[in-house]
Amino acid sequence: MSGVGILLVLSLGCFIGTWGQMWEWGPDLEGPWCAKRRGEQCCDDRDDYCSVPILGTECYCDVFCNSTAYDCCPDYWEHCHGVVRERTTPLPFIYTTPRIPVTTNNCVRNGALFQPGQSYQENCNECKCEVFSGPPRRFDWRCSQSVCLIRPQLIRAVNDGRYGWTASNYSALWGMTLPNGIKYRLGTFPLESNVVRMTPLKVRLDEVLPESFDSRQKWPGVINPIRDQGNCGASWAFSTTAVASDRLGIEFMGDYKEQLSPQHILSCNSDRQEGCAGGFLDRAWYYLRRRGLVTEECYPYSSGRTSTIGECLVAPRKRQGNCPSGIEFRMEKRYKTTPPYRIRPLEREIMKEIMDNGPVQATFTVKEDFYMYRGGIYRYSDTTRGETSEYRQTGYHSVRILGWGVERTFEGDIVKYWLCANSWGTDWGENGYFRIVRGENECEIESYIVGAFGKDNRRRRLINQRRLNRIRDGRKFRSLNLRRLRRRRKNRNKNKNNRRRFKKSHKSVKKL
Ligand SMILES: *[C@@H]1O[C@H](CO)[C@@H](O)[C@H](O)[C@H]1NC(C)=O
Ligand SMILES: *[C@@H]1O[C@H](CO)[C@@H](O)[C@H](O)[C@H]1NC(C)=O
């Protein structure tokens, strides 16, 4: 309506002068025409639907009728422009021709004119100016009907409801479709059955666990920062390298301050992996264990912009020369880990594992509302209940769990949560982190928890094996006894035995 108001002010002056040439309706046709239209009564530009039936035909209440003159409704000027016409010789109304063929072949948007074939983007959908053959023949926008990743109505529903978290728009995600969000922002395949079958380690649980825990506080300066995978479905590479880097850092406290390169694993672990279209975690860990990875400094991440993995620039047997980044390649800066192990899907066991050994890798189902998470404790809102499956598509994603905590709600309830690190940059969520309900296997986050130890030299490997054995057997953790270690090293048979046992327990990994 305000648009009409502005038009009125702008056009009143010249309007009156042109009346002489206009056709007029007879006085017997006075009455509410435009005034009785439902919805918008007066319309801007050309709008062939902005009409009212009259004498077996249509009269119009759009500005376009002004230029054709004879097909404006009798009360158009008065009702739409507030101009009282001076009634001169009334002419009998003869209306035979339909609206004159359009001279302005245009679609209109926000007052601007567009040619057929021109288009604009509305969130994730493209709208194109097209000619509709009618009747009435008209120029209008035809928009694609994809489900968008960011949906304003969903944001509103989450923020109006009491879900314990808030949602917001993200410019990096705006304009993407939900299927593309799943394809390019997630990227972890459901675990293969041999990993699911992998016997989880048992953790001894006679301890009282703290109410809250944060790896960043227990191991300051060691835990990897938030990364951004960009438009590449490589959470499999990001979560694996981040958990491995964290754990290497914890193992070699002080000596190791590197970030392992997701690009390395993404570009080089291409066998039976799908790069930016997703990957398997067990295959990633296998690569990390057998080939090892260089650091981020040596092989920086670039797939976030290109959405492709590019060529592998660090050959498996590379020993000298330069890194992809140009710095000198150093063999000893290629890190390996032990095989991964699963933690049982039990809240306390996961907590204990994090507290003792560092962040773990978790795989979970990302539902359609998760992308818009801004802060709070996430729990699936299910606001699309009743919509078609198109609106409720899900995907698998992997992240790091760094710790846990509790929060009191206004109602006085206590909500337990996991503290997780996502790989969508620091603008997303709570500075790149998110919290999710703990102890309820929300979105399956507790189902597939994986950890591994760093592997560098023999001595470390021994310690790791001892630790693993201890955890596996549920024996009490004793602080490292170097004398025992030395004795054990001498005792090669026993050692071999150990290794055999170790291998046995990770048979499923070896099979790959
Ligand atoms: C009505 O038509 C006249 C002459 O074609 C034009 O100058 C004027 O701007 C039009 N009025 C509106 C409201 O567009
Ligand atoms: C969301 O953010 C984008 C980019 O910043 C912006 O163009 C768009 O209008 C926003 N959408 C809503 C509903 O606020």
Side-chain angles (χ1 to χ4, degrees):
M1 285 315 263
S2 71
V4 175
I6 292 165
L7 275 174
L8 169 71
V9 173
L10 288 178
S11 56
L12 248 178
C14 52
F15 199 59
I16 295 158
T18 54
W19 272 359
Q21 294 118 47
M22 286 182 185
W23 295 89
E24 286 179 348
W25 306 87
D28 51 335
L29 284 173
E30 266 191 72
W33 299 99
C34 292
K36 74 172 182 198
R37 290 189 79 243
R38 261 176 285 139
E40 204 181 349
Q41 298 180 336
C42 304
C43 314
D44 292 341
D45 303 296
R46 178 172 181 150
D47 183 352
D48 291 355
Y49 287 128
C50 193
S51 59
V52 185
I54 184 170
L55 299 176
T57 177
E58 308 264 334
C59 67
Y60 295 86
C61 305
D62 62 351
V63 170
F64 190 71
C65 82
N66 171 20
S67 54
T68 58
Y70 63 81
D71 62 1
C72 291
C73 292
D75 66 339
Y76 167 75
W77 288 276
E78 191 166 340
H79 184 70
C80 296
H81 296 284
V83 179
V84 183
R85 286 190 308 164
E86 193 196 323
R87 240 166 260 291
T88 50
T89 34
L91 296 167
F93 175 65
I94 306 151
Y95 190 92
T96 45
T97 32
R99 284 205 129 187
I100 348 173
V102 190
T103 44
T104 49
N105 293 352
N106 293 309
C107 293
V108 181
R109 182 169 182 256
N110 297 338
L113 301 178
F114 292 83
Q115 300 297 320
Q118 284 188 307
S119 62
Y120 71 94
Q121 194 74 20
E122 179 74 53
N123 196 350
C124 71
N125 285 302
E126 194 191 32
C127 297
K128 217 169 177 181
C129 179
E130 283 184 16
V131 186
F132 289 73
S133 50
R137 185 181 127 96
R138 65 198 164 98
F139 289 77
D140 212 343
W141 299 104
R142 191 197 291 277
C143 302
S144 59
Q145 300 292 319
S146 304
V147 179
C148 298
L149 191 59
I150 298 284
R151 295 170 57 199
Q153 63 274 43
L154 210 153
I155 295 176
R156 238 172 290 127
V158 167
N159 291 340
D160 291 348
R162 285 190 174 186
Y163 297 102
W165 59 281
T166 54
S168 83
N169 180 15
Y170 286 105
S171 51
L173 304 178
W174 179 260
M176 282 182 98
T177 62
L178 178 56
N180 276 345
I182 292 170
K183 186 168 170 198
Y184 292 115
R185 291 284 161 167
L186 310 181
T188 299
F189 294 142
L191 291 182
E192 290 173 293
S193 53
N194 54 354
V195 186
V196 174
R197 276 202 309 271
M198 199 163 88
T199 331
L201 297 173
K202 288 200 184 93
V203 180
R204 186 180 164 79
L205 281 172
D206 53 359
E207 230 175 289
V208 177
L209 298 169
E211 193 180 60
S212 67
F213 178 83
D214 186 342
S215 297
R216 293 168 300 182
Q217 278 157 21
K218 175 160 179 187
W219 298 288
V222 164
I223 304 303
N224 275 246
I226 295 292
R227 302 283 315 262
D228 189 352
Q229 67 186 72
N231 276 332
C232 171
S235 67
W236 64 276
F238 276 86
S239 63
T240 305
T241 50
V243 168
S245 306
D246 286 351
R247 289 191 163 217
L248 282 163
I250 292 165
E251 283 289 294
F252 307 110
M253 198 69 196
D255 299 340
Y256 172 94
K257 284 203 184 71
E258 312 277 8
Q259 262 186 51
L260 295 182
S261 160
Q263 192 65 53
H264 185 179
I265 198 162
L266 194 55
S267 301
C268 303
N269 178 207
S270 51
D271 182 28
R272 299 186 301 148
Q273 295 282 47
E274 286 175 31
C276 283
F280 291 101
L281 299 181
D282 47 323
R283 292 175 189 177
W285 282 109
Y286 183 76
Y287 189 89
L288 192 48
R289 171 183 159 223
R290 297 306 291 265
R291 303 258 189 245
L293 290 183
V294 297
T295 61
E296 174 70 19
E297 202 190 3
C298 173
Y299 204 159
Y301 184 59
S302 61
S303 293
R305 291 187 309 272
T306 61
S307 296
T308 55
I309 59 170
E311 221 181 303
C312 171
L313 299 176
V314 177
R317 297 194 210 298
K318 185 180 177 72
R319 301 217 152 254
Q320 59 221 356
N322 282 343
C323 285
S325 66
I327 64 167
E328 191 199 341
F329 178 82
R330 282 161 58 204
M331 195 57 204
E332 73 276 14
K333 289 222 161 185
R334 195 164 178 145
Y335 297 93
K336 294 185 176 179
T337 61
T338 63
Y341 50 85
R342 264 190 76 194
I343 316 297
R344 290 202 291 174
L346 297 171
E347 183 188 352
R348 284 177 60 80
E349 299 205 359
I350 300 167
M351 290 159 76
K352 180 84 172 90
E353 168 65 18
I354 297 172
M355 209 169 96
D356 287 351
N357 300 315
V360 292
Q361 184 177 43
T363 303
F364 69 109
T365 310
V366 170
K367 310 261 176 95
E368 72 282 350
D369 60 358
F370 184 75
Y371 306 91
M372 287 155 265
Y373 169 89
R374 165 58 73 193
I377 299 170
Y378 176 80
R379 176 196 295 276
Y380 179 45
S381 65
D382 205 8
T383 54
T384 56
R385 205 174 17 235
E387 291 182 40
T388 60
S389 57
E390 242 191 317
Y391 290 88
R392 297 163 65 84
Q393 296 173 71
T394 61
Y396 269 109
H397 188 49
S398 54
V399 293
R400 264 182 307 163
I401 304 185
L402 301 185
W404 64 85
V406 291
E407 199 171 77
R408 251 162 258 275
T409 64
F410 274 131
E411 290 83 12
D413 298 332
I414 288 178
V415 186
K416 300 188 292 178
Y417 64 82
W418 295 113
L419 169 66
C420 306
N422 202 353
S423 45
W424 294 351
T426 50
D427 288 340
W428 183 86
E430 298 180 330
N431 300 316
Y433 299 90
F434 68 97
R435 290 175 295 157
I436 183 167
V437 169
R438 165 166 58 107
E440 298 175 27
N441 201 17
E442 180 64 36
C443 297
E444 293 177 274
I445 191 134
E446 284 146 25
S447 291
Y448 306 107
I449 304 287
V450 170
F453 290 110
K455 175 161 120 181
D456 193 76
N457 52 36
R458 247 186 85 73
R459 184 172 156 271
R460 282 295 169 181
R461 204 146 61 221
L462 271 169
I463 299 169
N464 290 341
Q465 276 183 15
R466 280 164 47 83
R467 275 199 194 167
L468 263 182
N469 290 341
R470 222 178 285 119
I471 293 169
R472 196 176 52 216
D473 301 345
R475 257 185 265 140
K476 206 166 199 152
F477 186 94
R478 267 161 292 180
S479 66
L480 183 66
N481 182 328
L482 279 174
R483 200 155 42 92
R484 280 171 59 100
L485 191 68
R486 244 178 265 125
R487 202 161 62 220
R488 190 176 277 206
R489 200 185 291 160
K490 265 187 224 153
N491 191 344
R492 284 179 190 278
N493 280 340
K494 202 172 171 190
N495 212 340
K496 259 187 211 150
N497 249 337
N498 256 338
R499 225 172 294 153
R500 219 172 290 134
R501 276 171 64 201
F502 184 82
K503 274 182 189 161
K504 214 169 144 194
S505 84
H506 293 89
K507 222 173 176 176
S508 48
V509 177
K510 286 233 89 170
K511 266 195 295 191
L512 285 170

